Amino acid sequence: MPGRQWDAASKAKVVLEGLKGRSESAICKRHRIRPAEYRRWRKQFLANIARPLERRRPSPGGGSRLLPGMSKKVWEESTKAMRVAQELIEALPIPVFFKARDGKHLGANRAWEAYFGVNREAFIGRTVEELFSHAPEVAAKHRAADEDLWRNPGTRSYEAEVPIHDGSSRHTLNYKATFTGADGEVAGLIGAIIDITERKRAEQRQAIEHRVTRILSESGTVAAAMPGVLQAFCETLGWACGARWSFDARMGGFRCEETWSKEDPAIATFLAASRESTYQPGEAGFIRRVLGRGEPVWIVDVSAEEGFLRGREAARAGLRSAFALPIHLGDQVLGALEFFHRDMQQPDEWLLKTGVAIGLQIGHFMARTQAEAELRQSEARFRSLTGLSSDWYWEQDEEFRLTFMSSRFVERTGIDPAPYIGRTRWDEAAPNLTESDWARHKAQLERHEPFFDFEMERVGEDGNSVWLSVTGEPVFEGRKFRGYRGVGTDITERKRAQSVLRAAYDELARSNAELQQFAYVASHDLQEPLRMIGSYTQLLERRYGDKLDSDAREFMDFIVDGATRMKQLIEDLLSYSRVGTRGKELRVVQAQGALERALINLRASIEASSATVTHDALPEVNADDTQLTQLLQNLIGNAIKFRKQDEAPRIHVGVQDAGDEWRFSVADNGIGIEPQYFERIFMVFQRLHTRDEYAGTGIGLAICKKVVDRHHGRIWVESVPGKGSTFVFTLPKTQKGET
């Protein structure tokens, strides 16, 4: 920057940006310095680094002496810059190292030591060939770059894949620069290593996915695409061969479908043998584990893997490591891919994730090609079936004009389709449709929505009405709308039958209304004479009771009792008839609340009989709460009524979750019921005991059945005579959105 005073530490930081890989032009632009000035700083920086490595004569005081011709001020500034540079290099998070002119390492920072897993003190004085003794090709590449720098001093950068201490390989960008000694000659070089593994892997994955996408888009079948996909994967990542496996339903086993390999007779023989192999489903084995579990599998050494049946053949072909991954479509495993390498490879999570992504891509392609094939077959079957069906097939263009009508139309309706071809439906009026009906249908077509059972009334040549029902769906090519296609049905007979049925329904509704009115009037008119008989009989008893003998008073009791029972019978019949006509709308209610209301209504009977009533926690149900209360009240009341003489009633109301329905039960310890009467007790007026034994009209359980029927449930009894009864009824579960 103009006017800025650059100290030694600031200059060193600027130079270190270059060692991290930033270009010279970017550094100069950022700090507003001239390229010549930056180069001078870099030369001084490298000289300061090299100076402590030079052999110096000790001073009389034990320190280092000034070099010839160097002033004390220059020496102090140089020493300060050297110390700052060394401290910065030691703290850098990237590996930095120094080499002498003979190629031996002079030093390195902590990051270098951690990256390679090598003790730097023990490695001083050793060459790159000794550092990479297990990877001579890597050492040769570094040596060639050093030799080029010795011949042409300056800076160099290049990429190299190097092995590190954990056995894996990393992609690196190596930046090197020469430095000179006091005599001005090149004394060595300083290097910085930037790890670019993630960038390289991202580039590799992008390259693989791009190639695979292009291959899949250009292929019509899986068999045509897979050799190219396997080749793209192997060539990009350096693996020797690959294959695809799938489950053959006809053979009942796994088989190798397609393969790819580099030109190698031994590998070709191994892959040919794989194509001839078939494996039964199971958990053992290489491919079976992948297809069975849907997870990737890695084998470091194929010859040492006991579960790998083809391990020895693979080793004889010169293959050492292998991995396999599933081809997925959601949770479904459609097949597996396997790859082999000539060298021993440790498990690579990045490679497995990349492979799984490719597997998903292939899975979607397989699903798409299968869907396309099925669509073609479906269309062929559809056209064939419509030719045989009593219905007809039709098509419209993007302007909704009818373009095709199958021959079944005229055969079924007797109407000539020619006047309709090239025209829209609304060009011809239909007696059953108004202008607003046509407008709604047209708007639906313009929204490109499917439509179902659109009914039209047409007039045939004989003047009679023909009713048509058409169903259609939009047709697209890519995203471009191409019109509609669908089927039509002649529903004339059905419409006529509906007309007859409607007339019968209306007549039945009128008749039912009259019957309900009759029942109400009859019950009201019948109860009035009964009330009069009972009232006047009781009046006679009060006024002339002392004048009547015992027989007369007994006869009067019979009259009052008969009138009372007749009144109760009429009321029960009226209640029975009103279950289906006077009920409330079914809605979500708490069964617990209905039970509590029933128990309140039965409080007197419960206390008089010393009954004990227990219950489970009852759920929400879709019901008429009044009728549900009546149902529970009748069942619990019956349990109290038909009790044993020497034992207090014990009643339990339970509930079970039975899938789509709730199963309620009312169990007691009463007198029980004989099996032959299990059905009879739910019928009107069917009593198993005399009125002297147990009061009632015999309608209570009939009302229970009618209530359960109205709620779309079932009711039955389970009983053993002398050991009690359990009445069970079901109610459908409440569905979301149900009313």
Side-chain angles (χ1 to χ4, degrees):
M1 289 184 181
R4 175 174 176 177
Q5 298 298 319
W6 292 88
D7 57 18
S10 299
K11 293 177 181 179
K13 289 180 180 178
V14 173
V15 173
L16 285 173
E17 290 183 24
L19 295 180
K20 292 181 181 179
R22 186 184 291 271
S23 66
E24 180 181 293
S25 60
I27 294 172
C28 294
K29 182 178 181 181
R30 178 185 179 188
H31 297 288
R32 299 181 183 178
I33 57 176
R34 294 186 299 277
E37 190 171 14
Y38 168 73
R39 297 191 192 102
R40 179 166 54 81
W41 291 357
R42 185 176 62 195
K43 182 177 180 181
Q44 183 62 43
F45 174 83
L46 295 174
N48 290 335
I49 295 298
R51 188 165 294 117
L53 304 175
E54 296 176 9
R55 184 172 296 178
R56 302 180 189 162
R57 294 186 300 276
S59 64
S64 58
R65 294 174 50 187
L66 295 176
L67 294 176
M70 180 183 293
S71 67
K72 183 176 181 181
K73 181 178 180 181
V74 172
W75 180 83
E76 290 176 348
E77 183 178 352
S78 177
T79 301
K80 180 180 179 182
M82 175 191 67
R83 184 171 62 254
V84 170
Q86 289 177 328
E87 291 175 354
L88 286 172
I89 288 175
E90 184 67 9
L92 279 177
I94 61 172
V96 177
F97 61 90
F98 307 95
K99 285 184 182 179
R101 180 63 180 79
D102 57 5
K104 295 181 179 181
H105 285 78
L106 299 173
N109 66 350
R110 283 194 301 269
W112 185 93
E113 188 177 48
Y115 192 76
F116 288 102
V118 178
N119 188 307
R120 51 182 168 172
E121 297 299 332
F123 202 74
I124 300 300
R126 296 180 179 271
T127 63
V128 70
E129 286 79 7
E130 293 173 295
L131 176 61
F132 296 110
S133 59
H134 53 296
E137 68 283 357
V138 176
K141 186 168 187 176
H142 288 310
R143 171 63 71 180
D146 293 350
E147 294 296 336
D148 184 46
L149 274 171
W150 304 141
R151 291 190 298 271
N152 303 287
T155 61
R156 297 288 187 280
S157 63
Y158 60 93
E159 294 182 8
E161 186 176 0
V162 300
I164 59 175
H165 61 89
D166 62 2
S168 63
S169 295
R170 308 292 292 178
H171 292 275
T172 61
L173 173 63
N174 293 262
Y175 183 89
K176 294 180 178 179
T178 55
F179 59 81
T180 58
D183 57 0
E185 297 295 327
V186 173
L189 61 83
I190 180 173
I193 300 173
I194 310 298
D195 192 304
I196 58 171
T197 303
E198 295 305 318
R199 190 194 78 192
K200 293 293 290 185
R201 286 183 168 178
E203 292 173 353
Q204 285 179 326
R205 178 165 180 166
Q206 186 177 14
I208 294 172
E209 292 179 345
H210 177 73
R211 286 185 63 180
V212 169
T213 300
R214 180 177 56 80
I215 292 168
L216 296 180
S217 65
E218 295 173 353
S219 303
T221 64
V222 178
M226 286 312 302
V229 171
L230 297 171
Q231 179 181 2
F233 200 94
C234 291
E235 287 183 344
T236 304
L237 299 174
W239 287 66
C241 63
R244 179 179 76 92
W245 291 74
S246 68
F247 180 74
D248 190 326
R250 181 176 56 85
M251 301 178 62
F254 303 122
R255 59 174 296 170
C256 181
E257 302 287 356
E258 299 90 21
T259 62
W260 181 87
S261 69
K262 297 179 179 179
E263 293 294 333
D264 188 305
I267 295 178
T269 301
F270 166 71
L271 293 177
S274 297
R275 284 194 295 270
E276 296 174 0
S277 302
T278 302
Y279 299 106
Q280 298 302 314
E283 291 295 322
F286 188 39
I287 293 299
R288 285 186 289 186
R289 285 159 58 192
V290 176
L291 291 174
R293 301 176 186 176
E295 300 175 352
V297 175
W298 190 288
I299 298 177
V300 177
D301 187 352
V302 294
S303 62
E305 185 74 16
E306 295 182 0
F308 186 25
L309 302 181
R310 295 172 292 143
R312 294 182 179 178
E313 291 82 354
R316 282 197 293 269
L319 303 172
R320 296 297 303 277
S321 290
F323 78 94
L325 51 97
I327 299 175
H328 272 299
L329 180 63
D331 296 332
Q332 184 181 6
V333 180
L334 303 180
L337 301 178
E338 66 175 4
F339 298 95
F340 294 87
H341 203 287
R342 287 193 172 96
D343 300 324
M344 194 174 295
Q345 301 289 316
Q346 296 298 320
D348 189 331
E349 288 297 325
W350 171 84
L351 182 55
L352 289 176
K353 290 180 180 178
T354 300
V356 168
I358 298 300
L360 287 171
Q361 195 173 358
I362 296 170
H364 285 292
F365 171 74
M366 293 174 66
R368 191 192 77 212
T369 54
Q370 181 179 356
E372 291 173 349
E374 291 176 352
L375 179 61
R376 289 191 295 270
Q377 295 175 1
S378 176
E379 289 180 344
R381 287 195 300 268
F382 177 73
R383 288 186 176 272
S384 175
L385 289 173
T386 52
L388 301 173
S389 172
S390 60
D391 296 341
W392 60 86
Y393 176 75
W394 55 265
E395 292 180 355
Q396 291 175 192
D397 61 17
E398 56 269 24
E399 299 296 329
F400 314 125
R401 294 171 299 202
L402 191 65
T403 59
F404 174 79
M405 187 85 77
S406 66
S407 59
R408 287 291 180 185
F409 175 73
V410 66
E411 294 175 11
R412 290 291 295 164
T413 66
I415 298 176
D416 182 9
Y420 298 95
I421 300 297
R423 305 178 66 191
T424 65
R425 289 191 188 92
W426 48 87
D427 287 338
E428 183 73 23
N432 68 309
L433 297 173
T434 64
E435 290 296 329
S436 59
D437 294 330
W438 282 122
R440 283 193 296 271
H441 180 61
K442 183 179 179 182
Q444 188 176 20
L445 299 183
E446 290 173 344
R447 293 193 299 269
H448 303 161
E449 296 175 351
F451 62 91
F452 304 92
D453 301 324
F454 182 72
E455 296 183 358
M456 296 177 293
E457 183 182 2
R458 298 296 191 193
V459 179
E461 295 180 359
D462 57 0
N464 294 323
S465 290
V466 177
W467 283 86
L468 313 176
S469 174
V470 292
T471 296
E473 63 177 8
V475 179
F476 294 90
E477 287 184 4
R479 295 185 177 181
K480 186 173 179 59
F481 173 68
R482 288 300 187 186
Y484 273 84
R485 62 186 172 193
V487 293
T489 304
D490 184 343
I491 59 171
T492 304
E493 292 300 323
R494 190 182 79 191
K495 296 297 285 188
R496 290 172 180 169
Q498 285 177 350
S499 178
V500 173
L501 185 62
R502 170 59 64 182
Y505 175 81
D506 292 341
E507 177 62 22
L508 180 61
R510 184 190 61 78
S511 176
N512 282 340
E514 290 178 352
L515 286 173
Q516 290 173 20
Q517 182 66 22
F518 172 78
Y520 175 77
V521 172
S523 63
H524 183 272
D525 292 346
L526 283 173
Q527 289 189 61
E528 184 59 32
L530 288 174
R531 282 194 295 271
M532 183 180 295
I533 292 170
S535 298
Y536 278 96
T537 302
Q538 291 171 353
L539 181 61
L540 283 171
E541 184 179 9
R542 287 195 301 270
R543 182 171 298 182
Y544 303 105
D546 55 345
K547 298 178 181 180
L548 300 175
D549 59 15
S550 59
D551 288 341
R553 284 194 294 272
E554 184 179 3
F555 295 157
M556 293 176 67
D557 289 339
F558 288 155
I559 294 172
V560 172
D561 181 63
T564 303
R565 285 191 288 106
M566 179 64 76
K567 182 176 181 295
Q568 183 63 48
L569 185 60
I570 292 172
E571 289 178 350
D572 287 350
L573 279 172
L574 194 58
S575 296
Y576 180 79
S577 68
R578 287 175 174 174
V579 169
T581 59
R582 296 291 182 90
K584 296 187 292 187
E585 181 182 1
L586 303 186
R587 58 185 181 86
V588 178
V589 298
Q590 293 287 344
Q592 186 79 24
L595 175 61
E596 291 171 357
R597 289 190 294 273
L599 293 177
I600 291 173
N601 296 339
L602 293 168
R603 180 181 299 167
S605 298
I606 293 173
E607 292 176 353
S609 62
S610 300
T612 302
V613 182
T614 59
H615 61 86
D616 297 340
L618 303 186
E620 286 185 342
V621 292
N622 209 39
D624 177 336
D625 57 345
T626 301
Q627 291 185 351
L628 182 58
T629 300
Q630 184 181 17
L631 171 62
L632 293 169
Q633 181 175 328
N634 283 0
L635 294 176
I636 297 171
N638 273 2
I640 295 173
K641 180 191 299 184
F642 298 101
R643 63 183 182 273
K644 297 176 183 177
Q645 296 299 324
D646 57 348
E647 188 176 349
R650 295 193 306 276
I651 304 162
H652 180 75
V653 180
V655 67
Q656 290 182 341
D657 187 339
D660 294 335
E661 61 186 11
W662 293 109
R663 185 169 296 172
F664 293 84
S665 61
V666 179
D668 62 51
N669 63 336
I671 62 175
I673 304 170
E674 294 286 348
Q676 63 267 30
Y677 302 122
F678 284 179
E679 297 293 334
R680 176 181 167 186
I681 59 175
F682 293 105
M683 300 172 65
V684 178
F685 301 139
Q686 296 300 311
R687 296 174 53 86
L688 304 184
H689 306 277
T690 66
R691 293 183 179 85
D692 294 335
E693 293 177 300
Y694 298 98
T697 60
I699 298 180
L701 287 177
I703 292 176
C704 290
K705 185 177 187 307
K706 196 165 186 180
V707 168
V708 173
D709 288 344
R710 182 179 177 241
H711 287 73
H712 312 293
R714 297 169 290 120
I715 186 169
W716 67 93
V717 65
E718 300 168 355
S719 180
V720 176
K723 295 186 178 180
S725 303
T726 300
F727 284 85
V728 184
F729 66 91
T730 64
L731 294 178
K733 282 190 177 177
T734 302
Q735 301 297 322
K736 185 176 182 182
E738 185 179 6
T739 61

